[in-house]
Amino acid sequence: MPVHYPFSAVLGCQADDLDDMGLALVLTTISPEIGGVLVRGEKGTAKSTAVRGLAAVLPSISVYAGDRFSIDPADPSAESPDGPFGSAAVVESRPVRLVELPVGATEDRVVGSLHLESALSRGAVEFEPGLLARAHRGLLYVDEVNLLHDHLVDLLLDAAAMGRVSVERDGVSVEHAARFVLIGTMNPEEGELRPQLLDRFGLTVEVAAPRDPALRAEVVRRRMAFDLDAPAFVERYVAAERDLTARVSTARTLVGKVRLTAPGLLKIAEVCAAFEVDGLRADIVTARTAVAHAAWAGRSEVTREDIRRAALLALPHRRRRNPFDAPGLDEDLLDRILGDEELPPEPPEGGPADGSGDDSGAEGDPVGLTESDSAGPPPSGSGGSTEDEPPSVEPASEASGVETNTADDALDRPQSPSGVAPESVTAAAPAYRPRLLTATGLGTGRSGGRSKAIGSSGRRIGANTSTRGSLHLVETLKAAAGKQAARPRTSAKVELRTEDLRTAVREGREANLVLFCVDASGSMAARKRMAQVKAAVLSLLLDAYRRRDKVGMITFRGESAELVLPPTGSVDLAAARLDEVPAGGRTPLAEGLLEAARVLQREHLRDPDLRPLLVVVTDGRANSSRKTAQAHGKDAVRRSQQAAAYVAGLGVTTIVIDSESGPMRLGLARELAVHLGAEHVPVAEVSAEALTSAVHGYTGSTVGRGAA
């Protein structure tokens, strides 16, 4: 049995001074109805170590010997598919289980399915319990829960909310209890959970490595001591672990006796309303957490401090926010709502029960308290923009076959002492719902919401002989039926063998690598093009967030291209980097395309199943410095065409978003799309609504011409 790092050693404090992560984990074990804990934090912050150590401090449980479903012998209403168990059944005590769910687990492994060995060897229909049955009355831990397939996350959260699992598949009909504490850990840099799923976790905590050198040194010292002699290190914390176990056991006994008064419940409702959380789940979870915290503190009644700690754990991930906003809570606002006074006593029976006697909130209406926090940004185009400077003409470059003294160039080039468009940082225009961009063909990547793929979820379109996936019973029987004549049979039953097994082939959706290659040159800074371009890219990033994509970003300007964001699952980082992208200088289009090719080739080696989608955002103009032209001996247009042909040879699905605007257009982005073998999309048609309007307008004009 592995020796786990002590829970109290991870926390580095006594039971009276738990940090947020330790407190959230303890409270949800005291009251599992809270709904579990999601621990978010950067890599290397002991998230997994703390969770694995938690099981050791929980009190042992009593079970029937041989019961695979771990029902409680003290609960007369509990039923096990392995039962019934009589009064003579052997009852034993065992530690709480920590069941780890791998990211690559199948649905059969999670909920259970037909026991294939029994079905094939004896013709018996038996149920093989899954991980949810094993986790009953224990801990179910999902590391990197943000990488788990959405349908499995939904299944887990539904089971955690209902406390039961029903299995109706492959001729098996089983229902069993599944009450467990769901704990998930994740690194936000690798991708976020969808807001709907984030809300289903009871509590969420953010963890980060300490910045104090003394604390960091102590962490390293303890870890090295554990690695050197684990049993001796664990022995040093036996007393602290025993105290935690006793306190959890006492709190579990007390939690059913804690009183949440009417003024306290009203205060919880005021807090949730002030932070504009959706639905009532936040109120329920906050109330349960406050009760558990009071029990943990040994109190028989919920206090102001209990509500405050509960709100800080239950509300940050539920407040109404944009997808790219980091979870958090305004503690000053929370303190103003709670007030300085302790909660008033329960009003006498027949007296006012609406909390009208509570003076702690007399400073103002909760809605009024949030007025300053809900103030939006100033209207777009109001002040601070450098794009309103008078434009002038940039001298034509001898190395470019395009950048000549056209009227459009005169509008697009702000003047600078060096003759090159100056740098400026432009804020994005408001985002919108974009059209769906997909990779061509059928992939085999991880589950997502963008391109068509063969995977473990979706509609069933066939069967194969793979050992991965769910059993296709009909196709298995059909495969065996044609071989019965050649097999010696001792009964009328169909004889099944391993080679007859067929698994379902399903068509669903996969996530993709969406690589943005963004033109940040001087021509993009003119006419506020960059604001429109950033709005389009931001809208596509929002779409990538919802579809579980991996994203990366390249910008090109001046004399080179830069990978400003290596491919990552965190679209938050991409949105932040997009805000910081300056515009100005020349247009090294070839360098941008070649850098995109290098990134795509490197990512293909890392994950061949992750299909890429290259999105090139540019007006198609290409120029370069004299130094670059002299080094390559060819003009920028020819170099960009050759680079485009090279990218096209990679066979990557590419979309060119044309940012060119104004009455005079050169159509260079459309020509670039031809060389790339890409779809050409004007930036104004990235919006799904704009595309629909354009299609309807085209259809109407065609019908009109036909009628004429």
Side-chain angles (χ1 to χ4, degrees), residues 493-510:
K493 295 180 180 179
V494 175
E495 182 181 339
L496 295 176
R497 295 183 180 177
T498 304
E499 61 265 24
D500 301 328
L501 294 180
R502 298 293 184 271
T503 54
V505 176
R506 300 180 182 276
E507 181 182 301
R509 295 278 178 176
E510 68 175 358

Side-chain angles (χ1 to χ4, degrees), residues 53 137 199 201 206 257 287 331 443 512 597 608 699:
R137 301 175 65 200
D199 178 66
F201 278 94
E206 300 277 339
K257 304 175 184 178
E331 295 192 32
N512 296 107
T699 304

Side-chain angles (χ1 to χ4, degrees), residues 589-656:
L589 178 57
E591 282 71 14
L593 296 176
L594 293 176
E595 178 64 20
R598 284 190 287 270
V599 173
L600 293 173
Q601 290 170 326
R602 184 168 61 245
E603 290 302 311
H604 178 72
L605 293 175
R606 291 177 176 172
D607 187 355
D609 291 333
L610 183 64
R611 292 197 295 162
L613 183 66
L614 176 61
V615 180
V616 181
V617 186
T618 182
D619 56 11
R621 303 183 183 193
N623 63 13
S624 57
S625 66
R626 296 178 184 272
K627 179 180 178 181
T628 305
Q630 292 171 358
H632 295 280
K634 54 188 77 170
D635 62 55
V637 174
R638 287 176 54 202
R639 292 196 67 241
S640 63
Q641 291 174 353
Q642 291 177 357
Y646 179 73
V647 172
L650 300 178
V652 174
T653 302
T654 306
I655 292 94
V656 174

Side-chain angles (χ1 to χ4, degrees), residues 657-678:
I657 296 180
D658 188 351
S659 63
E660 193 171 32
S661 60
M664 297 184 62
R665 305 190 185 188
L666 302 178
L668 298 176
R670 185 180 296 275
E671 293 181 14
L672 176 65
V674 172
H675 289 287
L676 283 168

Side-chain angles (χ1 to χ4, degrees), residues 43-388:
K43 52 186 177 291
T45 50
K47 301 185 296 294
S48 301
T49 304
V51 174
R52 293 189 176 98
L54 174 64
V57 302
L58 298 182
S60 298
I61 61 173
S62 298
V63 298
Y64 288 112
D67 181 18
R68 297 174 298 171
F69 297 86
S70 302
I71 65 170
D72 186 359
D75 184 0
S77 64
E79 297 182 356
S80 169
D82 285 347
F85 298 96
S87 58
V90 177
V91 177
E92 59 186 17
S93 178
R94 65 163 175 79
V96 168
R97 285 177 181 155
L98 173 67
V99 178
E100 296 193 37
L101 192 155
V103 171
T106 63
E107 186 173 339
D108 291 347
R109 185 73 184 97
V110 175
V111 300
S113 64
L114 178 69
H115 195 292
L116 290 180
E117 183 177 354
S118 298
L120 295 179
S121 61
R122 298 185 287 108
V125 177
E126 293 184 6
F127 178 67
E128 183 176 11
L131 296 176
L132 295 184
R134 182 172 173 79
H136 179 50
R137 301 175 65 200
L139 308 176
L140 183 64
Y141 173 47
V142 188
D143 192 15
E144 306 296 351
V145 65
N146 51 324
L147 303 181
L148 195 66
H149 290 179
D150 283 351
H151 71 284
L152 290 183
V153 177
D154 287 330
L155 190 154
L156 288 179
L157 295 175
D158 286 341
M162 300 298 295
R164 300 195 68 80
V165 173
S166 297
V167 182
E168 301 284 347
R169 59 192 307 167
D170 300 330
V172 174
S173 179
V174 174
E175 183 175 352
H176 64 84
R179 296 190 179 277
F180 51 83
V181 176
L182 178 62
I183 302 175
T185 57
M186 59 174 282
N187 181 357
E189 293 182 0
E190 297 174 350
E192 288 283 358
L193 275 176
R194 291 185 290 117
Q196 302 93 317
L197 302 181
L198 188 62
D199 178 66
R200 296 293 297 274
F201 278 94
L203 310 178
T204 298
V205 293
E206 300 277 339
V207 296
R211 301 306 176 199
D212 184 355
L215 290 178
R216 297 174 71 96
E218 178 61 23
V219 170
V220 174
R221 188 179 298 110
R222 292 187 184 186
R223 185 69 220 191
M224 294 179 68
F226 176 80
D227 293 339
L228 184 63
D229 190 347
F233 183 84
V234 171
E235 183 65 26
R236 290 164 47 189
Y237 290 89
V238 167
E241 299 282 278
R242 189 184 301 115
D243 291 344
L244 278 172
T245 301
R247 188 165 177 181
V248 169
S249 181
T250 302
R252 284 181 173 180
T253 303
L254 182 61
V255 71
K257 304 175 184 178
V258 174
R259 294 174 61 249
L260 175 59
T261 63
L265 185 57
L266 182 61
K267 187 61 67 175
I268 290 174
E270 289 179 4
V271 170
C272 293
F275 283 102
E276 299 182 329
V277 297
D278 293 324
L280 293 173
R281 183 177 287 121
D283 303 61
I284 296 172
V285 172
T286 304
R288 288 172 174 169
T289 306
V291 169
H293 188 269
W296 171 250
R299 290 188 286 268
S300 60
E301 187 171 302
V302 171
T303 65
R304 174 186 179 277
E305 179 59 24
D306 297 325
I307 296 176
R308 187 180 191 280
R309 293 302 298 268
L312 290 174
L313 296 174
L315 299 187
H317 62 297
R318 290 189 168 91
R319 66 179 179 82
R320 191 172 298 172
R321 61 190 180 92
N322 294 322
F324 294 144
D325 293 342
L329 207 65
D330 185 344
E331 295 192 32
D332 291 336
L333 173 61
L334 176 62
D335 290 336
R336 295 206 306 273
I337 298 169
L338 292 175
D340 297 329
E341 302 293 332
E342 193 48 76
L343 296 175
E346 185 84 51
E349 189 171 347
D354 57 357
S356 58
D358 181 8
D359 296 332
S360 62
E363 293 179 4
D365 188 344
V367 175
L369 290 173
T370 62
E371 182 176 355
S372 61
D373 300 309
S374 61
S380 59
S382 60
S385 174
T386 60
E387 295 173 343
D388 296 329

